Amino acid sequence: MIPIPFSGAAPLALLLIIILLLTAMAILVWVYQEDRHDARKKEARIKRAMAELRRKEKEAQESKAELEKTKLALMNMVEDLSGSYEKLKELDRLKSDFVTNVSHELRTPITTITLSFDLLRKEKDKAKRNELLRMMQRNVGRLSRTVNTILDFSAMEAGAVRVSKEKVELRSLIREVSQEEMPKARVKGIALTVKAPAGIWVYADRELAHRALLNIVDNAIKFTDKGCVRIYAKKQKDYIIVSVKDSGRGIRKSDLPKIFGKFAKLEEHVPGSGIGLWVSKKIIEQHGGKIEAKSKRGAGTEITVTFPMAAKK
Amino acid sequence: MKKILVVEDEPDEAKSMQMVLEGEGYSVAIAPDGKEAIDSMQGADLIVLDIILPRLHGDAVLREMKKRGIKKPVVVVTAVSREVGVEKDLRQIKRDIVFLQKPFSSSELVAAVSSKIR
């Protein structure tokens, strides 16, 4: 009998080897599986961390944008505040200029009246006495106009002006204004003319309308050194237009919106309180009318106002 | 006869000052603005100067006088309140000024002028 090598122990050993191999494989597979599992876990953690990072980054970006917005809002606020501050400062400056102007407008005619009065007491010559009296009259007129303007102004600022409207014949009103201003025009050597049809009736507060037109004509004469100031009136639809046109020095385009402003003084050394046209504008508006200005530097100014026409009866 | 130049843009006020001073025996000329004042200053013994003037402001007139070495006495008339501090500003240009605040009477004007002119 040929002995089969390892015939007794061989299958057992083979089995053992196979088992060993299988076990090793199983361990390998298990280790591999474990590794993959681990790797997946790690990957998931990394992913989570990255997501977290992205979220944080987004949050940071959002709060940065928010911060930018707040910064912008703050900057706007600062700008607004400094704008208001500048406006207040400007108004304050205008007010103190106004006080200076008004004090000049009051003190100058009072000086002339005082001096004329002193002179009148000693003067024997009749012609000279008359000249002094006319001088006093002119300056009393100027003084009372200034006082009226200041009183109108403060009443209007306080909203305490009462408008009592009635039917007013416009031509006679315009003629009154022109007669009152005529001496001034004469002194300056300029013509003051009125062209208005008779029988135009407006619905207005006579005294206030007179004041409004007077301020406009007064202003036109003030800024005209030669030529003329023309007042004319005409009907247009339901309105009456009154226009005051001068051949004066005119107003710069950039200054035009300022002329109806409170304390408006475009030329420093021209006497005046700087509130006349503002008062006129307020009066015209209270009558439901409009006031507008057209001007060309060096070629004169035209101020146009509209009044509602009185109903025909 | 002493000569006075009244620099004043308000015609009535200039005229009334002229009449008052002429009544005191002065010879009076009027300049309605600062430029004319500078041009006609040469012959005058004293200047009566209003501070608010067209063209050349009163302070500019004083500055121009200083620049040209014109050393004439000046009476400054002003409608501006004392509180505004104009006096102090003007005295920095010309120390020796008499101030007269509007409104003033004839005797105040004459007193101011005669304090500076002999």
Side-chain angles (χ1 to χ4, degrees), chain A residues 121-299:
Chain A
R121 283 200 300 200
K122 290 184 217 156
E123 190 59 63
K124 297 278 188 297
D125 184 74
K126 200 167 177 230
K128 278 191 178 162
R129 285 179 70 92
N130 281 339
E131 192 192 338
L132 287 167
L133 281 171
R134 276 197 301 276
M135 207 191 268
M136 284 172 88
Q137 196 184 21
R138 267 200 301 275
N139 284 277
V140 168
R142 177 173 170 184
L143 194 59
S144 69
R145 267 201 301 280
T146 303
V147 170
N148 277 336
T149 310
I150 297 167
L151 293 179
D152 283 351
F153 172 75
S154 51
M156 270 168 195
E157 270 221 313
V161 177
R162 291 196 34 182
V163 184
S164 54
K165 290 181 194 170
E166 55 180 327
K167 274 180 80 177
V168 177
E169 210 277 313
L170 193 65
R171 186 160 77 172
S172 66
L173 182 75
I174 293 175
R175 281 189 172 163
E176 272 174 33
V177 170
S178 124
Q179 267 160 24
E180 206 173 321
E181 287 291 311
M182 196 59 87
K184 270 196 189 168
R186 215 170 277 149
V187 164
K188 292 190 84 173
I190 56 176
L192 177 60
T193 62
V194 175
K195 200 175 157 193
I200 298 185
W201 294 83
V202 292
Y203 195 53
D205 182 311
R206 193 182 175 90
E207 210 185 305
L208 287 178
H210 180 106
R211 204 73 59 73
L213 291 178
L214 190 81
N215 288 346
I216 296 168
V217 175
D218 196 74
N219 215 63
I221 293 172
K222 197 187 291 172
F223 291 98
T224 304
D225 295 322
K226 60 181 177 201
C228 57
V229 172
R230 286 180 301 192
I231 313 169
Y232 62 89
K234 63 177 181 192
K235 282 188 202 176
Q236 198 174 65
K237 290 178 188 167
D238 304 337
Y239 280 91
I240 305 293
I241 294 178
V242 182
S243 188
V244 179
K245 195 171 181 179
D246 67 56
S247 61
R249 63 194 86 158
I251 303 160
R252 251 178 255 113
K253 205 176 175 186
S254 56
D255 284 340
L256 211 53
K258 294 184 204 159
I259 65 166
F260 299 116
K262 215 184 269 185
F263 315 125
K265 283 214 41 157
L266 304 181
E267 292 184 32
E268 202 188 331
H269 309 319
V270 175
S273 54
I275 52 178
L277 287 184
W278 181 82
V279 167
S280 293
K281 181 174 185 265
K282 287 280 157 189
I283 292 173
I284 301 294
E285 283 172 355
Q286 275 174 339
H287 280 80
K290 266 201 308 200
I291 187 164
E292 277 167 358
K294 272 192 294 192
S295 186
K296 206 173 164 191
R297 194 80 180 141

Side-chain angles (χ1 to χ4, degrees), chain B:
Chain B
M1 196 191 274
K2 294 285 184 186
K3 288 180 190 146
I4 297 173
L5 179 68
V6 173
V7 190
E8 171 63 66
D9 62 311
E10 301 280 348
D12 282 350
E13 199 181 342
K15 181 82 188 152
S16 57
M17 281 200 269
Q18 181 181 36
M19 286 167 87
V20 168
L21 293 171
E22 279 175 353
E24 295 296 312
Y26 297 110
S27 155
V28 181
I30 296 172
D33 62 52
K35 276 219 157 50
E36 219 173 299
I38 294 292
D39 293 342
S40 45
M41 200 165 272
Q42 226 34 272
D45 297 297
L46 178 139
I47 324 289
V48 176
L49 177 66
D50 188 2
I51 280 307
I52 299 181
L53 291 168
R55 295 218 283 176
L56 203 58
H57 222 178
D59 55 345
V61 173
L62 290 179
R63 232 171 263 126
E64 190 63 26
M65 283 176 74
K66 190 178 178 180
K67 206 174 107 191
R68 296 186 184 200
I70 303 171
K71 287 185 181 128
K72 293 179 193 288
V74 174
V75 173
V76 166
V77 296
T78 170
V80 180
S81 297
R82 265 170 215 283
E83 301 82 65
V84 180
V86 174
E87 289 196 28
K88 210 178 125 201
D89 292 348
L90 292 183
R91 275 195 212 281
Q92 277 175 358
I93 308 169
K94 186 176 170 68
R95 215 178 310 145
D96 185 24
I97 308 176
V98 178
F99 273 91
L100 202 54
Q101 174 154 31
K102 296 181 192 179
F104 48 81
S105 65
S106 310
S107 49
E108 284 170 317
L109 174 63
V110 171
V113 166
S114 57
S115 74
K116 282 282 147 195
I117 204 169
R118 268 151 270 119

